[in-house]
């Protein structure tokens, strides 16, 4: 009931205050691909024939010879994997056509629909409370279908791939996350949602909250998942600001991440600037209010370690983040390392170790994203054009974690895209490994190097586990509820 009330209130607010004329303006907002961004022509003849010049280019040729603005563009560095994706991922080349007067043209309504609109999801969750090395708790929610499976644990002998879902940084389990888990189950994955300390009903057992880009807790959770499911490959998906945690983890762990491939839905790349400037004010206000409501449960205990008055009277996301992690002078402050705002982001910027990422990463973004902001200032196109591990799937419409289309049925377009991406990368790696093995058998030596082997060689720092995983991850440390 509260979900419905929240959805209705936000929609009424947006209907009154938001400039809805953008929805019914001049044609499609996908023209930003031509007006605001210069997308270089980076495609092979093979990909051109497959996608009709629509993936990675600026225009699409209609039969009559007239150019039409595209709705999907794949921006990446030319590589064998990129060509393979263009050939085998049909969603990458699917036209996202939305009629001019359809509500989905509005990026704000797309965002609200994907974030707070209620969804009667058939998926249920089995929760594991994982006790960490510092006695903190995080929760892992394993998705299952049907209430009669609610108490059934996943078999450790299963070879099904794991779909690790990282929600946004405020811990809100959105409609988008629920539908992603449902889609993952229908495609043979074992979805598991990572919940940070104190979020989504996870108890706060220690007075320590997770900093924005600190992957320590996620690293232990991934090791536990690997211990529980040693035969299944791990694929990671993050939503919104949760992408900061995933990118930080992939950068710090490099080739030791245990992750085969990853995807980020509507990621925030330039996080310090985003906190300083904030999204448009209605969304800024909603995010700030939601975080205050969640933290108010721990107001008494947090008051012993942070300036509670500054925290709950903050008027911006930056002020709240500073009150939690950047203030000093209190005994037992939540941030263990001294330093101000700039020092905080030196430790937590998701792009700080981006060159160490050693697996393929797909980022799905829309140009009309009202949370991320102006694409020219917020999308690091140079990263995708120079790093062979990163792929940007850019759409004209979609809002923030929306990507709803009139003909989507039960599957969201962005979920189809990332699942196709995972399947294609796995097939590509398998084919490369077979070719490498065949080349070695023929005595060709190094001619059979694969994409994965090249990516592993780029790792500069391999994290070492400081504790015995078998001593920590046992029945005494993991509790099912």
């Amino acid at each position: 009931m509260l979900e419905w009330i929240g959805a209705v209130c936000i929609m009424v607010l947006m209907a009154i205050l938001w400039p809805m004329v953008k929805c019914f303006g001049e044609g499609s907002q996908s023209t930003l691909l031509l007006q605001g961004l210069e997308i270089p022509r980076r495609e092979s003849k093979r990909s051109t024939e497959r996608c009709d010049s629509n993936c990675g280019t600026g225009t699409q040729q209609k039969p009559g010879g007239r150019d039409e603005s595209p709705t999907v563009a794949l921006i990446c560095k030319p590589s064998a994997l990129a060509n393979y994706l263009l050939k085998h991922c049909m969603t990458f080349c699917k036209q996202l056509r939305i009629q001019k007067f359809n509500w989905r043209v509005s990026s704000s309504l797309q965002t609200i629909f994907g974030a707070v609109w209620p969804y009667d999801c058939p998926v249920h969750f089995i929760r594991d409370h994982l006790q960490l090395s510092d006695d903190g708790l995080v929760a892992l929610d394993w998705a299952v279908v049907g209430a009669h499976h609610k108490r059934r644990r996943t078999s450790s002998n299963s070879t099904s791939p794991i779909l690790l879902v990282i929600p946004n940084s405020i811990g809100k389990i959105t409609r988008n996350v629920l539908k992603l888990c449902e889609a993952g189950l229908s495609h043979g994955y074992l979805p598991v949602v990572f919940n940070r300390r104190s979020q989504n009903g996870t108890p706060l057992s220690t007075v320590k909250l997770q900093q924005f880009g600190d992957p320590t807790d996620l690293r232990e959770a991934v090791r536990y998942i690997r211990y529980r499911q040693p035969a299944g490959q791990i694929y990671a998906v993050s939503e919104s600001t949760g992408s900061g945690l995933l990118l930080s983890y992939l950068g710090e762990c490099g080739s030791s991440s245990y992750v085969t491939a990853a995807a980020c839905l509507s990621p925030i790349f330039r996080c310090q600037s985003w906190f300083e400037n904030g999204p448009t004010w209605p969304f800024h206000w909603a995010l700030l209010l939601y975080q205050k409501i969640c933290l108010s449960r721990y107001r008494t205990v947090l008051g012993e370690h942070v300036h509670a008055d500054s925290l709950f009277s903050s008027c911006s996301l930056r002020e709240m983040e500073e009150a939690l992690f950047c203030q000093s002078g209190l005994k037992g402050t939540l941030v263990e390392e001294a330093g101000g705002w700039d020092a905080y982001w030196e430790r937590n910027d998701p792009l700080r170790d981006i060159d160490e990422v050693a697996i393929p990463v797909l980022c799905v973004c829309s140009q009309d994203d009202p949370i991320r902001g102006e694409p020219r200032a917020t999308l690091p196109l140079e990263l995708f054009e120079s790093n062979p591990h990163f792929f940007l799937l850019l759409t004209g419409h979609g809002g923030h974690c929306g990507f709803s289309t009139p003909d989507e049925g039960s599957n969201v377009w962005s979920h189809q895209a990332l699942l196709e991406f995972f399947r294609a990368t796995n097939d590509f790696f398998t084919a490369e490994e077979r070719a490498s093995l065949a080349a070695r058998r023929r005595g060709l030596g190094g001619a059979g190097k694969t994409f994965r082997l090249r990516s592993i060689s780029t790792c500069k720092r391999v994290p070492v586990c400081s504790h015995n995983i078998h001593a920590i991850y046992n029945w005494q440390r993991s509790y099912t509820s």
Side-chain angles (χ1 to χ4, degrees):
M1 185 63 182
L2 291 178
E3 294 286 346
W4 279 100
I5 294 175
V8 171
C9 290
I10 293 178
M11 290 190 66
V12 170
L13 179 66
M14 296 298 298
I16 296 175
L17 301 175
W18 194 252
M20 297 299 295
V21 68
K22 293 170 61 179
C23 303
F24 312 105
E26 299 179 358
S28 170
Q29 289 195 19
S30 62
T31 55
L32 288 174
L33 283 169
L34 300 179
Q35 298 173 356
L37 295 175
E38 294 183 2
I39 301 178
R41 187 181 184 86
R42 296 180 180 275
E43 57 181 8
S44 63
K45 294 180 179 179
R46 186 165 148 191
S47 64
T48 303
E49 295 172 358
R50 181 72 177 183
C51 298
D52 296 328
S53 301
N54 190 39
C55 293
T57 67
T59 59
Q60 177 190 8
Q61 283 288 338
K62 296 184 71 177
R66 183 180 57 178
D67 289 341
E68 180 181 299
S69 298
T71 56
V72 181
L74 179 64
I75 304 175
C76 60
K77 183 176 182 179
S79 65
L81 177 57
N83 292 335
Y84 191 90
L85 294 176
L86 285 172
K87 181 178 180 181
H88 292 87
C89 295
M90 299 306 299
T91 308
F92 287 16
C93 307
K94 180 181 178 181
Q95 293 295 303
L96 298 181
R97 298 189 182 278
I98 301 176
Q99 295 180 356
K100 183 176 179 181
F101 295 99
N102 190 290
W103 66 267
R104 293 175 177 86
V105 178
S106 169
S107 61
S108 301
L109 293 181
Q110 281 258 24
T111 302
I112 295 170
F113 181 75
V116 302
W117 196 257
Y119 177 59
D120 187 15
C121 183
V123 176
H124 298 270
F125 294 94
I126 301 174
R127 169 159 291 192
D128 281 354
H129 284 114
L130 178 64
Q131 189 170 1
L132 306 174
S133 56
D134 65 349
D135 294 330
L137 287 178
V138 296
L140 297 175
D141 291 338
W142 297 85
V144 294
V145 176
H148 61 283
H149 294 298
K150 200 169 182 180
R151 303 300 301 178
R152 183 181 300 177
R153 296 178 64 89
T154 306
S155 171
S156 60
N157 297 322
S158 173
T159 58
S160 299
I162 311 299
L163 186 66
L164 175 59
V165 181
I166 302 175
N168 52 69
S169 61
I170 63 176
K172 168 67 175 173
I173 301 301
T174 63
R175 174 192 179 93
N176 188 57
V177 169
L178 295 176
K179 288 187 73 72
L180 176 59
C181 292
E182 183 181 3
L185 283 170
S186 66
H187 284 77
Y189 290 85
L190 297 178
V192 55
V193 180
F194 172 77
N195 300 284
R196 310 185 196 206
R197 306 179 189 218
S198 80
Q199 293 186 352
N200 194 24
T202 307
L204 184 62
S205 59
T206 59
V207 187
K208 177 183 178 182
L209 299 177
Q210 185 174 357
Q211 298 181 30
F212 184 85
D214 181 8
T216 305
D217 294 354
L218 180 60
R219 185 185 299 119
E220 294 196 41
V222 171
R223 287 173 179 163
Y224 170 71
I225 294 172
R226 183 71 173 178
Y227 175 69
R228 275 272 308 266
Q229 301 290 330
Q233 292 180 317
I234 299 177
Y235 297 88
V237 182
S238 59
E239 178 195 48
S240 184
T241 50
S243 299
L245 179 58
L246 177 57
L247 293 176
S248 295
Y249 170 76
L250 295 177
E252 283 202 5
C253 293
S255 59
S256 300
S257 65
Y258 298 119
V259 178
T260 301
C264 301
L265 299 179
S266 298
I268 305 296
F269 293 102
R270 309 189 191 281
C271 297
Q272 181 177 0
S273 175
W274 184 80
F275 270 90
E276 292 171 351
N277 300 321
T280 52
W281 77 263
F283 294 105
H284 195 164
W285 170 81
L287 291 172
L288 186 64
L289 180 61
Y290 184 83
Q291 284 188 278
K292 288 183 179 181
I293 293 174
C294 294
L295 290 174
S296 63
R297 178 182 178 185
Y298 307 101
R299 183 185 182 102
T300 301
V301 65
L302 289 177
E304 301 176 1
H305 300 271
V306 301
H307 296 285
D309 292 339
S310 300
L311 175 63
F312 291 99
S313 64
S314 56
C315 299
S316 67
L317 294 173
R318 171 177 177 168
E319 291 179 8
M320 172 168 283
E321 199 77 3
E322 283 185 304
L324 282 173
F325 302 111
C326 300
Q327 292 184 358
S328 58
L330 289 179
K331 182 179 180 180
T333 181
L334 291 178
V335 58
E336 299 176 358
E337 302 179 43
W341 181 248
D342 292 334
Y344 174 77
W345 284 108
E346 287 180 6
R347 300 187 302 269
N348 290 278
D349 187 351
L351 303 183
R352 62 189 184 278
D353 294 319
I354 203 67
D355 291 337
E356 307 298 330
V357 176
I359 62 169
V361 179
L362 175 70
C363 297
V364 184
C365 300
S366 67
Q367 294 196 73
D368 62 355
D369 190 329
I371 303 293
R372 189 196 66 242
E374 171 62 33
R376 283 175 293 184
T378 58
L379 290 178
L381 295 181
E382 65 281 357
L383 169 66
F384 300 97
E385 295 170 0
S386 61
N387 193 318
H389 295 103
F390 284 85
F391 303 84
L392 174 62
L393 198 58
L394 187 62
T395 68
H397 294 289
H400 188 77
C401 297
F403 303 105
S404 176
T405 57
D407 58 346
E408 69 183 19
S410 60
N411 295 322
V412 180
W413 174 87
S414 58
H415 299 166
Q416 297 177 13
L418 67 90
L419 291 174
E420 283 189 358
F421 173 75
F422 290 156
R423 175 189 52 77
T425 52
N426 180 70
D427 293 344
F428 176 81
F429 289 152
T430 301
E432 288 284 285
E433 289 170 359
R434 289 175 180 172
S436 176
L437 180 60
R440 285 197 298 270
R441 287 176 177 174
R442 292 195 302 266
L444 297 180
K449 281 189 175 182
T450 66
F451 181 92
R452 180 174 290 183
L453 291 176
R454 288 198 297 270
S455 67
I456 291 178
S457 65
T458 63
C459 180
K460 297 179 182 178
R461 180 176 69 253
V462 178
V464 179
C465 183
S466 60
H467 42 262
N468 187 345
I469 189 171
H470 297 280
I472 287 183
Y473 300 133
N474 53 39
W475 65 272
Q476 294 177 338
R477 292 279 181 164
S478 177
Y479 309 94
T480 303
S481 59

